[in-house]
Amino acid sequence: MSDKPSVLFVCVHNAGRSQMAAGWLRHFGADAVEVRSAGSAPADQINPVAVAAMAEAGIDITGNTPKLLDYDTAYASDVIITMGCGDACPVFPGKRYEDWKLDDPAGQGIEAVRGIRDEIRDRVQRLVSELLPSTGA
């Protein structure tokens, strides 16, 4: 068992919002947080505009692949953050849930995705400060 908190980011395609959030959490949480992401209907690849927007911020998410949300991953997570996955997201008693209302970057240009990226960054920074109060992130 790990003493690290684990966070699961879930969106429909696991190709944009959840991948950007996972990238930010890996960046700000370093090795102190276990980071997971998944989708209820994963895409074939990560949204290239999301990859480009994150690269502008110095975060490389090119090695990630969309994954299907499964029961075991959700059950093993301490915090589950949903981003528009609707009723497909499982609910487990005793887990911390947050639903982040964010625009979907699918089909959007880089200008719009930059705004989504920055909003996700700000939310992840707040999450890190709650999960790891001693880091001052």
Side-chain angles (χ1 to χ4, degrees):
M1 288 298 290
S2 172
D3 291 334
K4 291 195 260 188
S6 57
V7 177
L8 171 62
F9 295 104
V10 184
C11 66
V12 176
H13 300 297
N14 190 222
R17 294 167 290 190
S18 57
Q19 292 288 352
M20 288 191 288
W24 282 120
L25 185 55
R26 284 185 188 97
H27 176 74
F28 292 124
D31 291 329
V33 179
E34 187 173 341
V35 181
R36 303 169 175 150
S37 71
S40 54
D44 294 334
Q45 65 179 13
I46 296 179
N47 179 335
V49 182
V51 170
M54 291 299 286
E56 289 178 352
I59 309 289
D60 181 5
I61 60 171
T62 57
N64 301 353
T65 55
K67 296 174 194 65
L68 179 64
L69 175 63
D70 64 53
Y71 177 92
D72 291 338
T73 300
Y75 184 77
S77 299
D78 299 313
V79 179
I80 299 174
I81 298 182
T82 58
M83 303 173 182
C85 66
D87 295 336
C89 294
V91 176
F92 298 98
K95 302 290 180 191
R96 174 180 168 184
Y97 287 89
E98 291 185 24
D99 184 35
W100 291 358
K101 305 267 190 257
L102 298 160
D103 290 336
D104 189 345
Q108 302 228 32
I110 191 73
E111 288 294 326
V113 175
R114 284 179 184 133
I116 297 166
R117 173 202 65 201
D118 294 347
E119 185 174 350
I120 292 170
R121 178 199 61 219
D122 295 346
R123 290 175 186 237
V124 169
Q125 284 179 311
R126 282 192 296 276
L127 179 65
V128 169
S129 70
E130 293 166 6
L131 294 174
L132 308 169
S134 63
T135 65

